[in-house]
Amino acid sequence: DIQMTQSPSTLSASVGDRVTLTCRASQSISSWLAWYQQKPGKVPELLIHKASSLASGVPSRFSGSGSGTEFTLTISSLQPDDFATYYCLQYSTYSWTFGQGTKVEI
Amino acid sequence: EVQLVESGGGLVQPGRSLRLSCTTSGFTFGDYAVSWVRQAPGKGLEWVTFIRSKAYGGTPEYAASVKGRFTISRDDSKSIVYLQMNSLKTEDTAVYYCTRDTLDYPFYYMDAWGKGTTVTVSS
């Protein structure tokens, strides 16, 4: 199985900061990567698919990049609503794997 | 509005069975694949199982951790997906989410999630 490793596990930031989260795959997954946001007690929500395609309704301050084994999710100006846990998902096979998550906290 | 509503969770003893349902609305169910994803208390997300649309064979995939114990099925006439869970273990304790999976040919990603149903396996 393909392993996904996110870093850092926790990120402390302030409103207005530019933040970058990283996700690494144990082998090449081309661009078959999605990002999800999960707020405490809530359901995960799709942010980005195919590494850099913004999902419908997602604010433009979110962006994704990367291919192969290294990917990033960038929030250009952190808003109060963005404090949450972010997960990457590889979908390059029919055995999906998530990263362990990055918690973005104040 | 796309909706997925899970039901059937509860407290069950180790070794027993449980069947979860995912009732959907707001989209053409037959055109989509569906997955189950679980989240143990305080932990991350784990994909459990997947079923293709009938147009792509309606065939399932399973995570190694549940293969041989869990069975996914779909009833397109009712827009429902089922998850039959047998030989339950304490490590199956989690919130189980049903997801709509969109084809990004030839692969799929989860683009809509239900609110989840809680399964607790304990004696």
Side-chain angles (χ1 to χ4, degrees):
Chain A
D1 278 2
I2 299 173
Q3 307 302 315
M4 305 301 292
T5 304
Q6 292 186 239
S7 60
S9 296
T10 305
L11 187 156
S12 297
S14 302
V15 172
D17 284 354
R18 179 183 180 88
V19 300
T20 299
L21 288 59
T22 298
C23 179
R24 289 187 174 86
S26 60
Q27 65 189 71
S28 178
I29 59 169
S30 185
S31 296
W32 306 112
L33 186 101
W35 289 96
Y36 298 86
Q37 176 194 67
Q38 186 178 33
K39 298 175 185 175
K42 299 295 186 182
V43 174
E45 294 186 356
L46 176 68
L47 297 175
I48 285 170
H49 63 96
K50 211 157 197 176
S52 60
S53 296
L54 206 62
S56 176
V58 175
S60 59
R61 62 181 180 273
F62 291 92
S63 64
S65 65
S67 66
T69 61
E70 187 151 339
F71 302 85
T72 59
L73 173 69
T74 300
I75 309 172
S76 60
S77 177
L78 201 63
Q79 298 302 300
D81 192 46
D82 301 337
F83 292 95
T85 299
Y86 294 83
Y87 294 94
C88 62
L89 165 75
Q90 71 79 20
Y91 59 99
S92 69
T93 69
Y94 302 114
S95 180
W96 294 251
T97 44
F98 291 89
Q100 82 280 13
T102 291
K103 182 178 181 181
V104 177
E105 61 179 24
I106 300 173
Chain B
E1 180 191 6
V2 172
Q3 288 197 318
L4 303 103
V5 179
E6 303 89 340
S7 59
L11 173 63
V12 62
Q13 293 178 327
R16 304 298 292 264
S17 299
L18 206 59
R19 189 177 82 157
L20 306 184
S21 299
C22 171
T23 304
T24 73
S25 61
F27 64 100
T28 305
F29 177 78
D31 289 347
Y32 285 86
V34 175
S35 283
W36 288 92
V37 175
R38 67 186 179 184
Q39 187 167 35
K43 302 297 184 182
L45 302 168
E46 179 190 14
W47 168 75
V48 175
T49 181
F50 161 91
I51 188 165
R52 294 172 177 81
S53 66
K54 290 286 171 57
Y56 288 88
T59 49
E61 305 286 348
Y62 297 96
S65 58
V66 306
K67 198 166 187 177
R69 300 189 298 123
F70 289 13
T71 302
I72 190 171
S73 61
R74 63 188 295 154
D75 184 338
D76 285 16
S77 69
K78 297 180 180 177
S79 300
I80 296 178
V81 171
Y82 301 101
L83 179 61
Q84 177 67 41
M85 304 186 294
N86 298 333
S87 303
L88 281 160
K89 305 175 181 181
T90 55
E91 52 263 42
D92 294 321
T93 295
V95 174
Y96 283 73
Y97 297 104
C98 172
T99 71
R100 185 184 77 169
D101 295 359
T102 283
L103 180 61
D104 188 3
Y105 193 84
F107 300 115
Y108 298 81
Y109 62 92
M110 299 87 176
D111 74 337
W113 298 62
K115 294 192 187 312
T117 187
T118 299
V119 173
T120 303
V121 184
S122 174
S123 55

